[in-house]
Amino acid sequence: MRTLLFRSIFKGPATIEGPDAGPQAVRELVKSLDDLSRRVLGRSLAIREVDAGSCNGCELEVHALNNPIYDLERFGLKFVASPRHADVLLVTGPLTRNMRMALERTWRATPDPKWVVALGDCACTGGLFAGSYACEGAVSEAVPVDLRIPGCPPPPIEILKGLIALMDAASRTGTAARIGRPAGLPARE
Amino acid sequence: MAGLKRITLDAAAWAERAAALGRGEGELFALFGDDGQVHMVVREPELGALEMLTVAVENGRYPSVGAQHAPAIRLERAIRDLFGYEPEGLPDTRPWLDHGLFKLSAPLGAAGAPRRQEDYPFLPVEGEGLHQIPVGPVHAGIIEPGHFRFTANGETIVRLEQRLGYVHKGVETLMRGAALDRAAQLAGRISGDSTVAYQYAFARAAEQTLGVKPPARAIHLRALMAEFERIANHFGDFGAICNDASFALIHAHTGMLREQVLQTADACFGHRLMRDRIVPGGVTHDLTEEGAARVRALAVEIAPRFAELFEIYDSTASLLDRTVTTGITSAELVKRFAPGGYVGRASGRKFDARQDLPYAPYNKLSFKVPVLTAGDVDARVRIRAEEIRTSLSLIGQILDALPEGELRAELPAAKEPREGMAVVEAFRGDVLMYLRLAADGTVARCHPRDASWFQWPLLEAAIEGNIVADFPLCNKSFNCSYSGHDL
Ligand code: SF4
């Protein structure tokens, strides 16, 4: 083990250079952040991942963000265990009916200001599962979505681009509590 | 699949087969509903081949298999939910996949009004000093949703009860009436980590149904992708298990190995998970000479790096202390439930579809299926490690044998109703795919059975007597699919 540790120290990092935020992602963000007033978070976002019916393919690529190649945390992005610690809900899957309540509760447990990122084709539109008796389709059916990252699954680099764009926009424009609540969603429990 | 027999039994003969399973004669491979009938797939260990048995559903009822053979219980609860058939004598009639929230009840059967949502009655527990810990469906980590109800006495778990179905997407219903290519895409989205294996199984089932033989080059490229998928997942699991024992070093390095495999897959086949690359009739992407060289170089590079990581695992007492004797799955339960993959092989069940229900090109490749008897987390780690070594060797063999030629065979029209079945060895165990086509070539019925069906219940048993803090470790060593199970 010692040789491996030494080698790792002298070899330098395996980590790749960070990507710029994709232009498409930026455009979508600027739009979604327009109605947010000011509060600077600094360059840091805490992310809570919620699988709302995914095939687990999207999760695999989200996991990859934590590996030393992408090393998400160097950007100030961090996955957290509780929605109460989160700024961002990263939601995957075609929102199954059986997961809707859990997603809504998670959303309500997340303090304002907060953003929702729909990750993967399923979360964006329902994907191949749209129209099923067991799915709601897009995640936006239940919670307001600020950013969509399509792909099946989106590769880690695309997820990273989207999240960096979200964070840049958040620290540039500042943020504030989202007041609007999606139709049909009861008040905070 | 050569040797598939389908026999229609009357209710009495069906019940007798169920009783035989309960006595330990043969293994249950699948049990699922169909239009007006129920099928069960069994394997006689001596004969090796699979046999498909069918019973008619009369007045909405058929004799329960679960009444005589416990591994069938969850499968029959799912049949009740999806078809509305009543398995007569089923000891547990609580709904399983249907949480009372679907837009329909019995979507594959009479498709009626939604079932009313009721509180789910968990099994009662009684005893002094016991407390319950409900966990999920949303978990702390980045994992799939499911509910675990622990009953603990102090730190020790005395019972775990799982409740699944949260990611039920209605795949079988979406497949019904779908064209073959859409159904193949759906098959690849049943469990993302096994997208290759599922599409491999679907393609083979479709080819058997239509009597098509894919080109030899495609057959080899499929196996290459399947071994890539296996290695990538085993790296991920090996690292994650060590990480759950708070040993981050191995996790970091396996993370890089996994990433290299996925990047190579992307470079060679144009998708990191190789999704939608295997289709009925063949494959969509060819492997260039450059790609083949890259794959070879990867295999050569990875082998010693993995060996070094495994050496660290094997010589770190604090890590072994967490994995050895933790989460033991008894050989007796494994014999009854016949779980595939590392869960079975770590507890003495030497079954691997690549060898025991052989399919090309594996019938021409040489490899050993590892088997251990300890049945603990450590044994499941060691089986994975051995399978990584095997897969690396298989990749070399496949490239050596890779013939030139076409990638895809033309698919003939169905013309009449036809059926077929295939079993493919995914990284977590065997995936079974039953397919029936209508005369117009659309899917009349497709049933994909994930390996997890027979593994999840064993996790409940394996955790008993362990401490709550060891659950993540045990769970990861099983790594059952939620999505593959919930469908
Ligand atoms: S977008 Fe694709 S990878 Fe992600 S959950 Fe849906 S089917 Fe799976």
Side-chain angles (χ1 to χ4, degrees):
Chain A
M1 177 157 47
R2 231 177 304 148
T3 34
L4 182 73
L5 286 173
F6 275 127
R7 221 181 319 123
S8 304
I9 290 169
F10 292 118
K11 210 177 65 192
T15 315
I16 55 162
E17 292 239 343
D20 288 336
Q24 147 103 55
V26 177
R27 251 179 283 130
E28 211 174 328
L29 272 164
V30 172
K31 205 168 112 260
S32 78
L33 290 167
D34 264 354
D35 56 353
L36 297 175
S37 56
R38 285 160 195 279
R39 196 202 114 194
V40 176
L41 281 178
R43 263 186 77 92
S44 170
L45 282 181
I47 306 166
R48 171 65 245 201
E49 205 266 357
V50 183
D51 177 337
S54 145
C55 77
N56 79 31
C58 281
E59 276 60 34
L60 293 176
E61 296 297 50
V62 172
H63 265 293
L65 292 176
N66 275 325
N67 75 29
I69 312 269
Y70 299 106
D71 188 19
L72 184 81
E73 293 202 15
R74 71 193 146 130
F75 301 108
L77 297 163
K78 191 175 163 35
F79 286 105
V80 293
S82 165
R84 299 194 194 281
H85 304 159
D87 307 306
V88 176
L89 293 182
L90 183 63
V91 188
T92 63
L95 187 54
T96 55
R97 308 262 297 187
N98 287 351
M99 272 307 286
R100 181 177 182 140
M101 191 199 296
L103 175 65
E104 287 174 352
R105 284 192 182 168
T106 306
W107 188 84
R108 274 187 237 117
T110 310
D112 289 324
K114 60 187 162 201
W115 294 272
V116 176
V117 178
L119 183 73
D121 290 348
C122 288
C124 292
T125 66
L128 240 51
F129 305 102
S132 166
Y133 65 88
C135 300
E136 302 286 17
V139 163
S140 57
E141 292 293 318
V143 294
V145 168
D146 300 290
L147 174 67
R148 292 177 178 81
I149 306 177
C152 185
I157 201 79
E158 295 302 320
I159 308 176
L160 206 46
K161 279 184 196 166
L163 292 176
I164 290 174
L166 180 68
M167 189 173 55
D168 280 353
S171 55
R172 221 177 306 121
T173 55
T175 65
R178 172 183 294 282
I179 302 158
R181 213 167 277 285
L185 202 63
R188 197 173 282 269
E189 275 177 347
Chain B
M1 183 188 311
L4 168 69
K5 296 181 277 177
R6 177 135 94 84
I7 303 167
T8 302
L9 301 178
D10 61 22
W14 172 274
E16 172 42 36
R17 283 309 286 257
L21 282 172
R23 290 193 299 268
E25 297 164 21
E27 296 174 329
L28 180 67
F29 256 63
L31 178 62
F32 54 98
D34 201 338
D35 302 336
Q37 48 193 4
V38 173
H39 309 296
M40 123 167 105
V41 180
V42 293
R43 174 170 176 257
E44 310 293 344
E46 302 85 46
L47 301 175
L50 298 186
E51 194 178 36
M52 193 161 163
L53 309 169
T54 300
V55 70
V57 175
E58 278 168 44
N59 302 321
R61 303 173 161 266
Y62 75 95
S64 163
V65 179
Q68 324 233 30
H69 186 54
I73 293 176
R74 286 183 179 179
L75 292 157
E76 292 194 316
R77 289 169 70 186
I79 292 174
R80 272 183 101 238
D81 287 352
L82 300 180
F83 284 87
Y85 302 155
E86 200 54 55
E88 255 174 321
L90 179 64
D92 185 348
T93 54
R94 292 174 297 167
W96 183 237
L97 302 175
D98 187 348
H99 296 187
L101 296 164
F102 297 160
K103 292 176 198 161
L104 302 167
S105 62
L108 284 163
R115 218 173 49 77
R116 240 192 31 251
Q117 195 186 357
E118 291 152 11
D119 278 346
Y120 184 79
F122 283 90
L123 299 176
V125 267
E126 263 175 62
E128 214 177 316
L130 296 182
H131 62 282
Q132 289 205 324
I133 313 171
V135 179
V138 178
H139 299 283
I142 302 169
I143 63 168
E144 297 181 76
H147 183 87
F148 299 119
R149 177 90 30 134
F150 297 97
T151 304
N153 187 349
E155 271 210 275
T156 308
I157 298 169
V158 294
R159 180 192 280 159
L160 161 64
E161 188 181 352
Q162 298 154 353
R163 187 183 185 201
L164 302 174
Y166 289 93
V167 291
H168 177 78
K169 294 181 266 298
V171 174
E172 289 167 292
T173 307
L174 289 168
M175 279 184 164
R176 193 159 64 174
L180 207 56
D181 53 349
R182 174 170 151 86
Q185 287 177 351
L186 280 165
R189 284 153 183 82
I190 288 170
S191 187
D193 51 19
S194 306
T195 181
V196 170
Y198 268 96
Q199 291 185 321
Y200 198 166
F202 186 86
R204 283 185 51 224
E207 286 149 13
Q208 197 209 15
T209 304
L210 292 169
V212 184
K213 204 168 166 275
R217 188 170 177 83
I219 288 177
H220 283 77
L221 290 178
R222 286 176 176 183
L224 187 67
M225 292 187 222
E227 296 312 316
F228 255 61
E229 182 174 83
R230 192 178 328 277
I231 291 183
N233 281 305
H234 281 348
F235 278 147
D237 283 359
F238 178 50
I241 293 168
C242 294
N243 200 41
D244 277 341
S246 303
F247 201 84
L249 178 75
I250 291 181
H251 185 231
H253 281 272
T254 53
M256 286 192 281
L257 291 177
R258 177 182 159 86
E259 181 64 26
Q260 260 181 295
V261 174
L262 298 191
Q263 286 181 3
T264 307
D266 193 23
C268 293
F269 299 108
H271 193 283
R272 287 164 56 90
L273 305 181
M274 297 162 286
R275 176 168 274 164
D276 297 334
R277 287 342 186 221
I278 298 182
V279 291
V283 295
T284 57
H285 281 57
D286 200 3
L287 182 70
T288 59
E289 256 177 51
E290 221 185 311
R294 194 169 164 170
V295 173
R296 266 188 212 280
L298 177 80
V300 168
E301 197 212 320
I302 276 183
R305 283 172 57 200
F306 175 67
E308 191 178 9
L309 292 180
F310 188 76
E311 176 60 31
I312 293 175
Y313 170 82
D314 210 11
S315 57
T316 304
S318 62
L319 187 50
L320 293 175
D321 182 49
R322 294 291 305 278
T323 60
V324 176
T325 69
T326 303
I328 295 177
T329 313
S330 75
E332 190 216 322
L333 273 181
V334 162
K335 202 167 171 300
R336 257 173 83 196
F337 279 76
Y342 39 75
V343 173
R345 294 197 274 275
S347 297
R349 179 173 184 257
K350 187 177 180 291
F351 173 85
D352 185 319
R354 292 174 297 174
Q355 246 171 26
D356 296 295
L357 300 168
Y359 48 97
Y362 292 103
N363 46 359
K364 300 233 172 66
L365 305 175
S366 103
F367 63 104
K368 274 213 183 84
V369 176
V371 61
L372 293 169
T373 52
D376 52 5
V377 172
D378 175 65
R380 289 186 284 276
V381 168
R382 284 172 199 277
I383 294 283
R384 283 178 172 95
E386 193 52 41
E387 288 181 12
I388 289 173
R389 295 178 201 117
T390 304
S391 289
L392 287 172
S393 137
L394 283 172
I395 286 173
Q397 293 181 45
I398 293 166
L399 288 176
D400 289 343
L402 184 65
E404 295 294 329
E406 296 292 309
L407 296 178
R408 249 175 122 161
E410 196 80 38
L411 294 178
K415 291 207 187 96
E416 56 186 8
R418 295 153 168 266
E419 64 183 349
M421 184 168 76
V423 181
V424 159
E425 189 69 23
F427 85 100
R428 81 163 45 82
D430 46 292
V431 165
L432 180 144
M433 188 76 66
Y434 168 77
L435 178 67
R436 196 175 69 248
L437 296 180
D440 65 359
T442 58
V443 174
R445 174 82 176 106
C446 180
H447 177 70
R449 193 272 296 137
D450 195 86
S452 306
W453 278 101
F454 301 118
Q455 297 171 338
W456 274 121
L458 296 186
L459 178 61
E460 281 186 352
I463 195 65
E464 256 178 52
N466 287 261
I467 58 172
V468 177
D470 275 343
F471 179 71
L473 203 57
C474 293
N475 191 22
K476 200 70 221 176
S477 77
F478 271 68
N479 192 13
C480 298
S481 175
Y482 299 67
S483 185
H485 164 281
D486 293 354
L487 272 180

